[in-house]
Amino acid sequence: MRLAIAKAEEGVRHGQTPFGACIVRRGRVVAVSHNRVWKNTDITAHAEICAIRQACQKLKTIDLSGCILYSTCEPCPMCFSACHWANISRIVYGAHIADAKRFGFHELTVSNAAMKTMGGSRVRIRKDFLRQACLGLFSLWADRPGHKTY
């Protein structure tokens, strides 16, 4: 999670939004990314999606079974779905979707727990991991002049 936090901080310094993700398999880091929505002019370039793309390319597979995704914020429904389709085994997150919404992001407030139940996903979920540090990313971002949401 600390790598995801550091990557999110890097993204904020480069004008991106305060989200980071890290994918680990068998104790080894496979991919780390921050949100690239503004940089890529791509609304789907969330940190989790970028990390999944990197991991699939690095591992030369779309099956990320056995991988853990660490995300500074609870994955949105799009990102949760991508985790499900990639067979990511576990999601660990810090801040909540509701926290992002409070900072002005246009979030669909469907929790990962609800998505898991509704979709019958087997992914394991751990919330509130390093929550305060992850929440701090929103303040870091909000203090930057010209910060923008989507």
Side-chain angles (χ1 to χ4, degrees), residues 13-105:
R13 286 193 304 275
H14 289 98
Q16 299 304 299
T17 53
F19 304 98
C22 178
I23 296 178
V24 175
R25 182 185 234 172
R26 296 185 195 115
R28 302 185 100 164
V29 173
V30 177
V32 184
S33 189
H34 59 74
N35 186 294
R36 297 175 185 277
V37 167
W38 293 110
K39 181 180 189 291
N40 295 1
T41 318
D42 177 358
I43 199 63
T44 69
H46 292 193
E48 299 92 337
I49 299 294
C50 292
I52 288 169
R53 288 174 180 155
Q54 287 176 15
C56 288
Q57 288 175 358
K58 184 173 181 179
L59 297 173
K60 297 180 180 8
T61 183
I62 60 168
D63 184 359
L64 300 181
S65 297
C67 288
I68 301 169
L69 173 92
Y70 292 90
S71 180
T72 60
C73 189
E74 181 176 9
C76 73
M78 174 185 70
C79 293
F80 181 89
S81 295
C83 290
H84 169 79
W85 290 321
N87 294 313
I88 287 178
S89 299
R90 189 171 178 206
I91 296 171
V92 178
Y93 68 85
H96 297 237
I97 290 172
D99 299 318
K101 189 169 184 107
R102 275 196 305 278
F103 275 88
F105 288 91

Side-chain angles (χ1 to χ4, degrees), residues 113-138:
M115 293 279 294
K116 176 181 170 138
T117 299
M118 288 186 292
S121 180
R122 293 186 291 175
V123 66
R124 291 175 292 150
I125 302 168
R126 179 173 177 194
K127 62 182 183 175
D128 297 328
F129 190 75
L130 295 179
R131 179 169 166 72
Q132 292 307 312
C134 293
L135 285 171
L137 293 166
F138 288 108

